[in-house]
Amino acid sequence: THYSLLIAHSAIMLRLIYLVLLGNYVSGLSNPRWSTSVDRRVFGASTMASTFAILGGRPDPSIASYIDPNTEMPKVTDRVYLDVDIGGKETGRLVISLFGELMPKTVENYLSLCKDNSYAGTTFYRVISDFSIQGGAIGDPTGKSGKSAFGNPFEPDNFNLKHSKTGLVSAVRGVGGGVDSRFFVNVNDNGGWADDRYAAFGIVEQGMDFVKKIEKVDVKPPKNSPIAEVKIIASGVIEQT
């Protein structure tokens, strides 16, 4: 009956919510880790679509708006740079292209921080080989918090860009779910663990060879902190020509 179907699909929705919450608990909002091989998009989309069809509503439109950067790279609106030093022995520059049309507020935040050289003195505080390098915790070298250009953490624009390309730059989320100055660089084409949880807003255009050097530095437990400090010594905006 219609009533029985409502009960059944309500149970499915509760199960879906439980799995998402469990995934967030396992991954950690500010420390992404492998959690589950389940494709949350496929499972979530099919479950929600069938449930909303019975209830007479519509699924969240964001389910159909994912962008694969391998086939549809977002428009680049700005470019910034980070000059990075590894252990006082080697320096390199990362040039990052920003997707201001897709992620206007998130890009505005990152662009402002780079323009003001706010990242100077911050570090890459967590390095996980073949996974990601995380940095940009302004005011907190432990990486537990950061500071946005707006003062307080804020919600990212969307989670539409899939983490399916090496070099994508995404905003780290804090305990409350908002983003600040922290970011990570994806160093693997298979970054599906970050989809739906972290907002990609740019990509390393130049300097991936140096990112790979950072990725291979020696680290210490329990947080995979580099033994030799990996420090951002300057940041800025590259003027468009």
Side-chain angles (χ1 to χ4, degrees):
T1 65
H2 183 77
Y3 181 71
S4 298
L5 287 173
L6 282 176
I7 294 176
H9 281 275
S10 295
I12 292 174
M13 284 297 294
L14 289 173
R15 178 63 176 169
L16 173 60
I17 293 170
Y18 168 77
L19 287 173
V20 171
L21 291 174
L22 178 62
N24 282 337
Y25 172 77
V26 172
S27 69
L29 286 173
S30 60
N31 183 13
R33 297 178 185 172
W34 291 99
S35 57
T36 175
S37 59
V38 175
D39 188 333
R40 295 188 311 281
R41 286 204 187 95
V42 174
F43 180 68
S46 60
T47 303
M48 292 180 70
S50 58
T51 302
F52 276 99
I54 292 175
L55 295 177
R58 295 186 301 172
D60 189 334
S62 66
I63 292 174
S65 60
Y66 293 108
I67 300 170
D68 185 349
N70 293 293
T71 57
E72 186 184 357
M73 184 65 72
K75 181 180 178 180
V76 173
T77 56
D78 306 275
R79 287 179 174 85
V80 296
Y81 68 85
L82 301 174
D83 289 336
V84 184
D85 174 89
I86 300 178
K89 298 179 178 179
E90 186 174 9
T91 60
R93 171 168 287 194
L94 311 184
V95 175
I96 299 171
S97 299
L98 304 177
F99 309 137
E101 287 191 0
L102 177 66
M103 307 291 291
K105 186 170 184 178
T106 309
V107 165
E108 180 185 355
N109 174 61
Y110 193 69
L111 188 66
S112 297
L113 294 172
C114 287
K115 184 177 181 180
D116 293 341
N117 199 27
S118 296
Y119 282 113
T122 65
T123 64
F124 282 93
Y125 55 85
R126 182 175 294 116
V127 173
I128 307 176
S129 182
D130 201 35
F131 197 84
S132 70
I133 63 172
Q134 301 176 36
I138 295 174
D140 184 358
T142 68
K144 294 180 180 179
S145 65
K147 183 179 180 181
S148 79
F150 311 115
N152 296 318
F154 62 94
E155 284 296 313
D157 303 272
N158 57 69
F159 303 94
N160 292 350
L161 191 59
K162 294 174 64 176
H163 292 77
S164 56
K165 192 174 183 67
T166 297
L168 283 174
V169 181
S170 299
V172 171
R173 300 172 70 191
V175 175
V179 302
D180 41 55
S181 57
R182 293 170 296 164
F183 62 91
F184 67 87
V185 180
N186 190 38
V187 296
N188 192 309
D189 286 336
N190 184 15
W193 57 269
D195 292 346
D196 304 319
R197 296 180 182 176
Y198 302 97
F201 61 88
I203 190 168
V204 176
E205 182 180 297
Q206 299 175 29
M208 272 307 298
D209 56 338
F210 200 73
V211 169
K212 290 296 182 180
K213 290 183 178 181
I214 297 173
E215 180 195 356
K216 301 303 181 184
V217 301
D218 293 330
V219 298
K220 56 187 176 182
K223 296 184 178 180
N224 283 65
S225 305
I227 294 174
E229 191 173 56
V230 181
K231 180 182 290 186
I232 299 173
I233 56 178
S235 65
V237 176
I238 297 175
E239 297 299 331
Q240 303 285 10
T241 58

